[in-house]
Amino acid sequence: MNLPNLITLGRVILVPIVFWLLVSGQTQLAFMVFVLAGVSDAVDGFIAKRFGLSTELGAYLDPLADKLLIVSIFVALGVRGALPSWLVIAVVSRDILIVVGVMLSWLLDKPVRISPLAVSKANTVAQIVLAGVVLADDGFGLGLEALRIGLVWVAGILTIASLYAYLRAWLRHMSG
């Protein structure tokens, strides 16, 4: 356990906090916690790389913390009606299917190497930007409805494209 991993664990602890803030209608605070989580992600990555503190735990924990935060925000925003249900279902289903695929490959003694694809990185960026825009718009009344609609479609298309790419890679891996 080192400083970057402790910062990442702090980000995991922020997940239920930001979820609670969102479902209780405290969107401004939720936005600020979201920004804090983003800053902590950058800080833990910088410290790990700059001081040679990268660990196997951190390699798993960091993306897990990011996914937990994004999924919880999407679910909370979906419950509030701030994001369309189809997008929330697509985002959550994609992540569940990836985890199931990895677990199934381990169970079948064909472990798959987990590495993010370019489309997956673009998808993550789109989801983070969408979450930030929705939180900022809802919290501060910025009037970003047109931008939100565009970002919903970009995130939706990239989520489906990412799922397709992972499914294709997984099927190729599993078939030998």
Side-chain angles (χ1 to χ4, degrees):
M1 188 56 61
N2 60 23
L3 182 58
N5 290 344
L6 287 172
I7 294 170
T8 302
L9 282 174
R11 198 162 60 256
V12 171
I13 292 167
L14 292 178
V15 169
I17 294 169
V18 77
F19 187 83
W20 176 77
L21 289 170
L22 282 170
V23 296
S24 66
Q26 299 180 62
T27 314
Q28 288 180 345
L29 277 174
F31 175 75
M32 289 182 235
V33 172
F34 176 73
V35 170
L36 175 65
V39 169
S40 78
D41 190 22
V43 168
D44 72 39
F46 171 79
I47 292 171
K49 287 180 183 131
R50 176 75 170 92
F51 298 102
L53 296 173
S54 298
T55 64
E56 186 175 355
L57 174 63
Y60 287 103
L61 192 58
D62 188 66
L64 179 64
D66 296 342
K67 275 294 151 195
L68 287 171
L69 184 65
I70 287 296
V71 166
S72 69
I73 287 172
F74 269 66
V75 168
L77 291 173
V79 167
R80 290 184 46 170
L83 285 176
S85 297
W86 67 264
L87 179 61
V88 175
I89 291 166
V91 167
V92 173
S93 297
R94 173 199 169 271
D95 290 342
I96 289 170
L97 288 171
I98 289 170
V99 169
V100 167
V102 168
M103 290 172 58
L104 190 56
S105 70
W106 287 344
L107 287 172
L108 295 175
D109 207 23
K110 286 187 159 191
V112 63
R113 185 173 169 266
I114 304 168
S115 58
L117 304 172
V119 68
S120 177
K121 290 180 182 183
N123 176 50
T124 299
V125 169
Q127 290 177 1
I128 290 168
V129 169
L130 174 59
V133 166
V134 171
L135 289 172
D137 191 30
D138 283 0
F140 301 99
L142 303 175
L144 303 174
E145 188 61 32
L147 177 59
R148 286 169 69 153
I149 291 169
L151 288 172
V152 161
W153 284 103
V154 169
I157 290 166
L158 287 171
T159 297
I160 293 165
S162 173
L163 175 58
Y164 172 77
Y166 275 121
L167 180 61
R168 199 167 143 219
W170 185 82
L171 287 171
R172 205 174 338 191
H173 171 79
M174 294 305 286
S175 65

